[in-house]
Amino acid sequence: MGRLTALVTTLGVASVVIYGAMFIVPGDPATLLVGGSKPNPEALAAVRRQFHLDDPFWQSYLRWLSGAVRGDFGVSLVYRSPVSDLIASRALTTILLVAYAAIVIVIAGVGLGVLAAWKEKRAGVVITMATTVMMGAPTFVMAVIFVAVFATGLGWFPVFGAGSGLTDRLWHLTLPAFALAFSWIAYVAQVTRAAVRDEIRSEHVDTAHARGVPERLILRRHVLRNASGPILTVSGLTVAGLFAGTAVAEQAFGINGIGALLVESAAKQDLAIVQAISLVLVAAFVVVNMLVDLCNALLDPRAAGRAAR
């Protein structure tokens, strides 16, 4: 119940900030929505009626929020289409991209982190140095490198677009997913390495070694099980953060996803779309974090009890 209350509260505060941003910026919100240096007075009046800008702030906000809860975000002034339809038409591409990148991050990040901690004197130093460099690589830089090497140079992957059909889409999304996941892999690997290394040095692992338990069983039963909490938490935060980072990858690879739509709408001052996508991204971030908390509670009920108190 407490997590659900926190989720609703966070979304409520975020919705006020997102909707209120239109009124915080200098100038008339209607002029900002219409765009142009000298908008038509009739267009301004139409926009004020459409968005109820002449109403008190809280009244217009509650009207917008009630529509957003029903999935109605109004009509785009640029695309002349319902905002919800525009988002829905691009949502699957973004979800596939985030899911693809998340799988890459979890497999590569956790795998490298465990290897770096378990084989600290051999592979650990190399992996630690490599992941430290990877953490400083922005998505757009990796996108340029991947396009130059794997798309233009070797011709292994397509350069632009999201493809059609599941298999073709996954093929088109491979480079964007790896570009989006690159620095996050290093982050997950670093946290995994620290968590696993702490468990390896614990007394119960030394006892298992002394009893002659095979290393594979020690790693699975004693190390990974106890280190799963921080690994799951950082993996969940990473996946949640991917939603915000999709805009860069989608723009770089010409993918018609939600992130690219957000950038295009912001450039065209289509605030109806910007507000809707911002709220959707915040909701996705909060929901993923709540799911991670629930998973942690299932793994360690004692931690959940302490958090509840």
Side-chain angles (χ1 to χ4, degrees), residues 126-306:
V126 176
I127 293 175
T128 301
M129 292 177 60
T131 52
T132 301
V133 175
M134 289 171 62
M135 289 180 70
T139 300
F140 71 90
V141 173
M142 298 313 304
V144 172
I145 293 175
F146 286 165
V147 167
V149 176
F150 298 104
T152 305
L154 298 175
W156 291 353
F157 297 96
V159 179
F160 296 106
S164 59
L166 181 59
T167 303
D168 190 42
R169 279 191 173 185
L170 292 177
W171 188 248
H172 277 75
L173 293 177
T174 296
L175 290 186
F178 274 85
L180 182 61
F182 194 79
S183 60
W184 289 106
I185 291 173
Y187 183 50
V188 172
Q190 293 276 15
V191 174
T192 301
R193 173 179 171 271
V196 172
R197 185 175 58 181
D198 289 343
E199 290 299 325
I200 289 175
R201 296 174 178 175
S202 60
E203 293 183 1
H204 65 91
V205 172
D206 292 336
T207 302
H209 277 296
R211 292 172 56 188
V213 178
E215 286 197 358
R216 290 184 178 180
L217 292 180
I218 293 175
L219 181 62
R220 185 172 71 249
R221 295 181 180 178
H222 297 279
V223 176
L224 291 181
R225 180 179 296 178
N226 292 328
S228 61
I231 294 174
L232 178 61
T233 299
V234 71
S235 299
L237 291 174
T238 297
V239 173
L242 289 177
F243 286 97
T246 54
V248 178
E250 290 176 359
Q251 284 287 101
F253 290 93
I255 299 173
N256 290 325
I258 293 178
L261 179 61
L262 175 62
V263 174
E264 294 168 5
S265 302
K268 297 175 181 178
Q269 296 184 335
D270 196 338
L271 289 189
I273 296 180
V274 173
Q275 290 174 334
I277 294 179
S278 299
L279 187 61
V280 168
L281 293 179
V282 171
F285 185 88
V286 173
V287 169
V288 170
N289 279 323
M290 187 183 72
L291 292 176
V292 170
D293 288 341
L294 292 175
C295 291
N296 275 327
L298 293 175
L299 289 173
D300 189 358
R302 295 172 300 175
R306 290 193 297 269

Side-chain angles (χ1 to χ4, degrees), residues 27-52:
D28 182 9
T31 303
L32 188 62
L33 287 168
V34 174
S37 57
K38 295 181 179 180
N40 189 317
E42 295 181 358
L44 288 175
V47 168
R48 288 193 178 95
R49 287 194 302 270
Q50 178 181 343
F51 290 90
H52 305 279

